[in-house]
Amino acid sequence: ARAEALGVEIYPGFAADEILFDDTGAVAGIATGDMGVDKNGVPKSEFTRGMELRGRYTVFAEGARGHLTKQLIAKYGLDAGSDVPKFGIGLKELWKVKPEKHKPGLVQHGFGWPLDSKTGGGAFLYHME
């Protein structure tokens, strides 16, 4: 709500399918995927062309392995001089704990245990409402 009040447009439920570039090669926005196509990509009766969404800023928040992010990394050489990426699996759980064990605002980070010294990993524990 705060972002939208500042003029940010948010389009949930629409997958970005293509990066749009301007004449200088800068990112100009994205296009959403076409809807109403069959499994072979043939338009059906309810076919709707994807939308072009252009703006001063385009934020790519599709995760480290997103298909558009990979294209940007390759186009602009964003990984030049970098180590090979390392990926992991994240798990999220919400626990209800006894009030006397709860410390609002407490954040705990852990690294390593119970993993061996050759395996990276860690944990984050946040005491929330």
Side-chain angles (χ1 to χ4, degrees), residues 36-108:
V37 294
D38 68 17
K39 65 181 179 180
N40 298 314
V42 177
K44 299 190 294 186
S45 62
E46 65 270 16
F47 175 79
T48 303
R49 173 76 59 204
M51 297 180 291
E52 286 193 4
L53 303 171
R54 295 177 179 266
R56 184 179 302 169
Y57 302 102
T58 303
V59 178
F60 292 85
E62 58 179 350
R65 306 261 317 146
H67 72 288
L68 298 180
T69 299
K70 287 181 192 178
Q71 292 174 34
L72 293 170
I73 290 169
K75 179 177 178 69
Y76 296 115
L78 299 176
D79 57 353
S82 298
D83 288 334
V84 175
K86 179 180 177 182
F87 300 96
I89 296 174
L91 303 175
K92 181 178 182 178
E93 292 185 33
L94 297 177
W95 292 3
K96 188 169 188 171
V97 297
K98 295 178 182 177
E100 62 271 16
K101 301 237 181 219
H102 182 246
K103 298 177 183 171
L106 177 67
V107 176
Q108 295 173 288

Side-chain angles (χ1 to χ4, degrees), residues 86 111 115-121:
K86 179 180 177 182
F111 182 78
L115 305 170
D116 62 33
S117 63
K118 295 179 183 167
T119 306

